[in-house]
Structures are given as structure tokens and as C-alpha cells.
Amino acid sequence: MQTMPKVGFVSLGCPKAGSDSERILTQLRAEGYQISNSYEQSDLVVVNTCGFIDSAVQESLDAIGEALNKNGKVIVTGCLGAKKDVVTGAHPSVLAVTGPHALEEVMGHVHTHLPKPHDPYTDLVPPQGVRLTPKHYAYLKISEGCNHRCSFCIIPSMRGDLVSRPIGDVMNEAENLVNAGVSEILVISQDTSAYGVDMKFRSGFWNGRPVKTHMTALSKALGELGVWIRLHYVYPYPHVDEVIPLMAEGAILPYLDVPLQHASPRILKAMKRPASSENNLARIKAWRETCPEIAIRSTFIVGFPGETEDDFKMLLDFMEEAQLDRVGCFAYSAVDGATANALDHQVPEEIKKERLSRFMEVQERISAAKVAAKVGSLQTVLVDELTEDDDGNVIAIARTKADAPEIDGIVYLQDAEGISPGDFVDVQIVDAQGHDLIGAPPGF
């Protein structure tokens, strides 16, 4: 009996890169390749890289080096692959290098270096494809690339301009995921709000009916599937207001991931970001009036070139006013190829660190108050995994509607016998610890 070739796979970076990995893994399995979790047992290794910031570049280069040392046959893809000279300069022995969302190119290189004899018994793959996430949640990429040219970002140079997926393809994938047991779908792209703009929002077809290629229409259609739908990477365009009533109705989760980046109009202009802080505050207020339950996540950059103390204080004032639920913050890091690198008045590293610390002090106070306010409430949670305490009691690790996997808070549920990952459970919140909550059965 012939031995089917084995491919090792390393996936780095953001969920969008993870979605690319899933497409490649799905195609590998569809063609009968086995997926191995061991370098030594693999016939070659594919490394899907990240190249957004310096630390990610180094992590990717280290991963490529490890794969070369332990296996020797490596194909590189992903965002760092868009800078082929960086990869080959550090690791000239790699078999091939491609950029991101390069399924056909990756498979072409796999075919070249690891030909596979046809086997009708193994050339099979489930409809939902091969997933890197747990069985009960999945990322659904709706578009690739971005039309913005933010001065701190090089993603458009790596992934190109916005290209939206046909809405029928997106909805069919979502249906397949739900049929396979997925309880939560996380919608991702570089700019979810812009979905369909490249197609002039023309209608596609799903289950024989026309559906507009637009974020609102997509959200309505996804809301019919009966699972949690979570929106990520949403620019605060005016039409985003249209999805908030869907949250209030329970069609999609009352959760919005909006990367605002700053509050100073001068810095936002230097960043080439859309919208102003005043408009954002007014919009956030209106969102909460329509859907009081909404949880808003955002990310910010401190120490951007030219940021003065007054600019930074304006950001802190915005945070106090906005009272955002979940926030990530980064000190500005010069990314090779970003136009912001050429801006005047670069902020010294010690000031960046000091401002980052002050920012997080403010936000941690806000977040702690938000979390503490949930004590005593009843929450529907989605169970992610089970573990045991020191006494052998089963503990469920779960999330509320306000918490995305791996980036937000969690709920620890005591006495979790009989509960499984993927279950929805109603719990009473009895305590708060940092960003996390402690839950118990209702009426505890």
C-alpha cells in the first residue's frame, strides 16, 4: 500500500492569516495529503508567516529557521513572504516563497517538491474544510486587502486593495460551518465595513434569493443561521449604524471591534485615518442608545510621530468619555515600508513607554469597573474548554457575548460536570477577577 505524503504546517499571525492557513490546509487534505504535527515525520513544511511589526518578523524568521533545522524542506507563505528578500536573506535554503492569500502558488510549490499519487479514498475533505480553531467556533473571512493607506500600516502593500468574496460563497461557507457544529462565527477582513464596495454592492445569490454584497445585508443573512455572529475590524463609517438594531434584536452579537487608533484630530490626520474623535464619540453614544448591551472593543497607538503631550491628553480624555469595554494599546513601532517612518518629530522610546503605561492605567480602571458591574447578572456563555482545579473538580472556561476568543475576558464556571465545549450555558456572575468573571448556576 502506498504511503501518502505528509505536510507539516506552521500558522502565525492574525485570524486573517489563520483563515489563509485553513484554505491551504483544506486544499492539502482535499488532494489527499496528510497533515503532520511533527517536523521529523513531515515530508516538507509550510510556514505561514506574519510580517506586520518587527517582533512578528523575527518570530516568523525563527519559525522558518526551526523548520529548516528539524526538517530541511520548507515553503514560506504569508505576509512576510511579500518581502521575499528578507526571507531568503535570512534563510536562502527555503524551497519557495509566496506572499499572502496565495493558495494556488503554495499548492503549485507543494506539487513541485512533493508530488502526490492520486488516491480516491483519501482525496476527501469535509464541507467545512480543515480548521485550526476548536470545533465550536470559526473565523469567516469576507474579503482580502484594504483600500486605506494608513501611514503606519503596510498591509495593502502585502495583501493589495480590497477584494470582496462573493456573498453566495461567504454564506455557503457559513452554512457549512453551522452544519458541522460551529456555535460562533467571527467575521473578519482588513475592513469589514467596506465589504462589497469593490463590487459596487451588487447582489449575489444565496439559497436562490438575492442578497446585496454589503455588510448590513451580510449581517442580516448570517443572523438567520441561529449561531453567535461576531463582527471584527469594523471602520466607523456611517452605515455601521445600520447593524446596531440587528444587535438589539439579537440577530448578531452586541459586540463591535472598531480600531479607532487615536483621538487627536491632528494625529488621526497624520495616520490617514477616517472619522474624527468627536464623530466617534457621538456615534458610540448613539450605538449605546440603540443597543445598551453593546460591548465595544478598540485598539490605539501611542507615541505616533508628532504626538505631543496635548495630543496624548486628548486621547486620555477620549477614553474617559468613551468608556470602551475592551481596549488594546501599542507603542508606535516603525514598520519597514510604512510612510510614517519619514514623519518628523519621532517620539523617544522612553516617552512612548511612559505614555503606554499611563494609557493602560486609565483603561484598566475603566475595564475593571465594566467587569465588576456584571457581578450579580445572568449571562449566557459559550463554553470553550474544560479543565480541573487542584481538587479534581471540573471547571468550564467560557465567554460571554462581550468576549471574543483569545483577546477578551473569560468566565470560570465551577461545578461544570456534564458540560461540553460548544455548549451555551446560562450562568450567574458571582465575582470578578481582573478582566475575568466567576460564574455559578442561576440561583446560586
Side-chain angles (χ1 to χ4, degrees), residues 297-308:
R297 153 167 279 283
S298 191
T299 52
F300 295 87
I301 297 173
V302 298
F304 189 80
E307 182 189 66
T308 65

Side-chain angles (χ1 to χ4, degrees), residues 136-137 184 186 228 230 253 380-384 397-406 408-411:
H136 61 280
Y137 71 81
E184 177 182 12
L186 301 100
W228 278 8
R230 192 182 300 275
L253 289 180
T380 298
V381 301
L382 176 59
V383 177
D384 279 336
I397 298 176
R399 291 178 289 110
T400 72
K401 297 176 182 179
D403 299 298
E406 299 184 348
D408 294 326
I410 57 178
V411 179

Side-chain angles (χ1 to χ4, degrees), residues 64-299:
I64 296 167
E66 181 180 10
L68 284 170
N69 289 336
K70 294 186 177 181
N71 181 278
K73 299 177 68 176
V74 177
I75 293 171
V76 176
T77 187
C79 284
L80 185 58
K83 301 178 180 179
K84 183 176 180 179
D85 57 334
V86 174
V87 175
T88 56
H91 301 294
S93 62
V94 295
L95 298 177
V97 180
T98 82
H101 55 95
L103 171 63
E104 291 78 11
E105 291 179 71
V106 172
M107 292 308 302
H109 292 306
V110 171
H111 296 154
T112 298
H113 297 284
L114 188 60
K116 178 198 70 67
H118 177 71
D119 187 333
Y121 295 102
T122 59
D123 290 356
L124 301 171
V125 70
Q128 74 273 18
V130 178
R131 296 283 160 181
L132 298 175
T133 51
K135 292 181 179 180
H136 61 280
Y137 71 81
Y139 293 99
L140 178 67
K141 184 189 284 188
I142 63 172
S143 64
E144 188 58 77
C146 183
N147 288 342
H148 292 292
R149 294 297 182 265
C150 300
S151 59
F152 56 82
C153 182
I154 58 171
I155 285 176
S157 67
M158 295 178 174
R159 293 183 172 262
D161 289 336
L162 177 78
V163 178
S164 300
R165 292 180 61 196
I167 195 161
D169 292 353
V170 172
M171 288 304 305
N172 287 335
E173 181 179 346
E175 269 197 307
N176 287 333
L177 291 170
V178 174
N179 292 336
V182 165
S183 302
E184 177 182 12
I185 293 175
L186 301 100
V187 177
I188 58 171
S189 66
Q190 293 300 141
D191 181 1
T192 296
S193 313
Y195 177 61
V197 69
D198 56 312
M199 298 181 173
K200 301 187 184 327
F201 304 119
R202 68 174 178 263
S203 293
F205 288 87
W206 171 54
N207 286 345
R209 77 175 204 247
V211 183
K212 194 174 183 180
T213 309
H214 188 276
M215 183 181 74
T216 306
L218 173 65
S219 298
K220 288 179 180 178
L222 290 171
E224 298 176 20
L225 299 179
V227 299
W228 278 8
I229 305 296
R230 192 182 300 275
L231 301 181
H232 283 280
Y233 315 122
V234 178
Y235 277 71
Y237 303 139
H239 72 261
V240 174
D241 300 350
E242 299 171 3
V243 304
I244 309 303
L246 298 176
M247 298 179 181
E249 296 163 9
I252 63 176
L253 289 180
Y255 179 100
L256 210 54
D257 181 351
V258 187
L260 299 172
Q261 306 299 7
H262 213 280
S264 163
R266 197 176 63 83
I267 297 301
L268 287 170
K269 183 177 180 180
M271 289 178 168
K272 298 185 178 179
R273 295 289 293 178
S276 68
S277 56
E278 292 83 3
N279 290 342
N280 288 336
L281 283 173
R283 183 156 288 124
I284 289 168
K285 181 180 179 182
W287 292 345
R288 286 177 171 150
E289 289 174 350
T290 301
C291 182
E293 191 185 359
I294 190 172
I296 302 173
R297 153 167 279 283
S298 191
T299 52

Side-chain angles (χ1 to χ4, degrees), residues 21-35:
S21 294
E22 289 172 344
R23 292 185 65 215
I24 297 169
L25 286 165
T26 294
Q27 189 61 35
L28 286 167
R29 288 289 292 113
E31 295 186 15
Y33 289 92
Q34 295 185 44
I35 308 301

